[in-house]
Amino acid sequence: MSDYGHELWFGSFITPTARPPQAPVELAQTSERAGLDLVSFQDHPYQSAFQDTWTLMSHVAARTERIRISGNVLSLPLRPPAVLARAAASLDRLTGGRVELGIGAGAFWDGIVAMGGRRLAPAQAVRAVEEAVDVRAVEEAVDVIRGLWATDETGPLRVAGEFYTVNGAKRGPAPAHRIPIRIGAYKPRMLRLTGRIADGWLPSLGFLPEGPASLRAMNEQIDEAASAAGREPAAVSRLLNLSGRFTSGAGGGLFQGTPGDWAEQIADLALQYGVSGFILASDEPADLNLFGQEVAPRARELVQSARVT
């Protein structure tokens, strides 16, 4: 059992398609009307079929009232952390505290380089070298972001990093609330970094090598690193991007069934593996409505009932 006792919340993961440009905005509004807590967008600036994710997030913020907004996950090699820190704080202040951050070390390096980004590790680097570089880059980025938000600290910010350097930047503005920073992580070193410094862990179910069963060992790595850093493991929230198919009758497996089936499976993930944030990857309004209006309340009821008993 790895139930961290967190309150469940639910979100959407929407494709930032460029044609038609209002389509992802309308899906974000659908998410809000469906009662979802968060709307998120993937971030691939080298993909010409997509709109710029941060610009889209800003527009969505102006067209919604309640729902929280996040990148899922933002590509650090093309989002300099000092600029990202100011952008996130500014949007958070403008929205009254509705911004959250999901960040990643980067992928699809040919596309990143084509957009002018820096390839952090040599193209032929062995996997261990790539992982070490990714971890160091993300850690430095988090130092920069949190450092610029720390307006209660005196003096300018200086971070002499290998990948991200800030030399005397003025701090601020401070965000309207403590923006959670979540890391998309799968490999051991990045999982341990998540445990040491992150507010949350944000993997995708489809990328877990053994499906939900992978969560137990990965959680243990996060928990051990958190404890070693003097943190409570529960300080790191566990999120999960997921996808599937709603059916009117008996389903055929994980997230292939009725809204009731989905709710039971989500409750099991919460109680057995500590997942508290469930983010549905779908561009179908009907799916978002079912997820927010039927799956979410039933899953909350099941978890609350199990915790009470």
Side-chain angles (χ1 to χ4, degrees), residues 112 115 121 126 146 148 171 201 254 268 304:
I112 290 171
M115 287 287 288
V126 298
R146 287 187 173 147
L148 285 174
R171 302 177 192 268
W201 175 39
L254 185 63
D268 183 66
Q304 180 60 30

Side-chain angles (χ1 to χ4, degrees), residues 214-240:
S214 300
L215 293 171
R216 190 175 305 281
M218 295 171 121
N219 270 333
E220 288 175 356
Q221 294 181 72
I222 293 172
D223 291 352
E224 290 171 2
S227 297
R231 309 178 70 200
E232 289 293 331
V236 184
S237 62
R238 321 298 160 113
L239 288 64
L240 190 63

Side-chain angles (χ1 to χ4, degrees), residues 96-238:
R98 291 198 283 138
V99 171
E100 302 184 359
L101 279 186
I103 59 174
F108 306 103
W109 284 100
D110 289 345
I112 290 171
V113 172
M115 287 287 288
R118 172 189 174 190
R119 190 186 297 271
L120 300 184
Q124 302 303 318
V126 298
R127 187 169 299 176
V129 171
E130 288 181 345
E131 186 180 3
V133 167
D134 288 349
V135 168
R136 184 60 185 156
V138 172
E139 186 171 18
E140 290 175 5
V142 172
D143 286 344
V144 170
I145 293 169
R146 287 187 173 147
L148 285 174
W149 290 343
T151 55
D152 56 338
E153 296 187 15
T154 59
L157 177 66
R158 301 183 189 277
V159 176
E162 180 181 355
F163 303 104
Y164 300 112
T165 298
V166 175
N167 188 18
K170 294 182 179 179
R171 302 177 192 268
H177 82 304
R178 189 183 190 282
I179 297 177
I181 298 178
R182 299 168 177 134
I183 298 176
Y186 299 92
K187 298 177 182 178
R189 292 183 183 179
M190 194 68 81
L191 290 168
R192 292 195 291 270
L193 176 70
T194 300
R196 290 199 307 272
I197 70 170
D199 299 300
W201 175 39
L202 179 53
S204 293
L205 181 59
F207 293 158
L208 298 177
E210 299 176 358
S214 300
L215 293 171
R216 190 175 305 281
M218 295 171 121
N219 270 333
E220 288 175 356
Q221 294 181 72
I222 293 172
D223 291 352
E224 290 171 2
S227 297
R231 309 178 70 200
E232 289 293 331
V236 184
S237 62
R238 321 298 160 113

Side-chain angles (χ1 to χ4, degrees), residues 16-299:
T17 182
R19 296 183 179 86
Q22 291 299 318
V25 181
E26 292 169 359
L27 288 170
Q29 293 172 319
T30 297
S31 300
E32 183 169 68
R33 288 192 297 268
L36 295 176
D37 304 290
L38 176 138
V39 58
S40 66
F41 304 93
Q42 58 184 288
D43 184 40
H44 298 287
Y46 36 79
Q47 172 55 268
S48 61
F50 291 171
Q51 302 185 74
D52 173 69
T53 294
W54 196 268
T55 304
L56 177 60
M57 287 170 55
S58 299
H59 186 70
V60 165
R63 297 290 301 275
T64 55
E65 297 179 356
R66 174 195 55 80
I67 200 163
R68 307 194 304 268
I69 304 158
S70 180
N72 188 348
V73 295
L74 296 172
S75 179
L76 285 174
L78 292 172
R79 305 279 178 190
V83 177
L84 179 58
R86 297 212 200 282
S90 299
L91 189 57
D92 196 55
R93 292 166 71 93
L94 289 167
T95 60
R98 291 198 283 138
V99 171
E100 302 184 359
L101 279 186
I103 59 174
F108 306 103
W109 284 100
D110 289 345
I112 290 171
V113 172
M115 287 287 288
R118 172 189 174 190
R119 190 186 297 271
L120 300 184
Q124 302 303 318
V126 298
R127 187 169 299 176
V129 171
E130 288 181 345
E131 186 180 3
V133 167
D134 288 349
V135 168
R136 184 60 185 156
V138 172
E139 186 171 18
E140 290 175 5
V142 172
D143 286 344
V144 170
I145 293 169
R146 287 187 173 147
L148 285 174
W149 290 343
T151 55
D152 56 338
E153 296 187 15
T154 59
L157 177 66
R158 301 183 189 277
V159 176
E162 180 181 355
F163 303 104
Y164 300 112
T165 298
V166 175
N167 188 18
K170 294 182 179 179
R171 302 177 192 268
H177 82 304
R178 189 183 190 282
I179 297 177
I181 298 178
R182 299 168 177 134
I183 298 176
Y186 299 92
K187 298 177 182 178
R189 292 183 183 179
M190 194 68 81
L191 290 168
R192 292 195 291 270
L193 176 70
T194 300
R196 290 199 307 272
I197 70 170
D199 299 300
W201 175 39
L202 179 53
S204 293
L205 181 59
F207 293 158
L208 298 177
E210 299 176 358
S214 300
L215 293 171
R216 190 175 305 281
M218 295 171 121
N219 270 333
E220 288 175 356
Q221 294 181 72
I222 293 172
D223 291 352
E224 290 171 2
S227 297
R231 309 178 70 200
E232 289 293 331
V236 184
S237 62
R238 321 298 160 113
L239 288 64
L240 190 63
N241 293 319
L242 54 88
S243 61
R245 182 172 64 91
F246 287 107
T247 66
S248 57
L254 185 63
F255 300 124
Q256 302 286 329
T258 66
D261 294 330
W262 279 55
E264 291 177 2
Q265 292 164 357
I266 282 173
D268 183 66
L269 288 170
L271 296 168
Q272 296 295 326
Y273 302 109
V275 181
S276 57
F278 297 89
I279 305 174
L280 175 63
S282 177
D283 295 332
E284 295 296 329
D287 290 349
L288 300 177
N289 282 321
L290 285 173
F291 196 58
Q293 296 173 3
E294 297 190 31
V295 175
R298 180 55 181 156

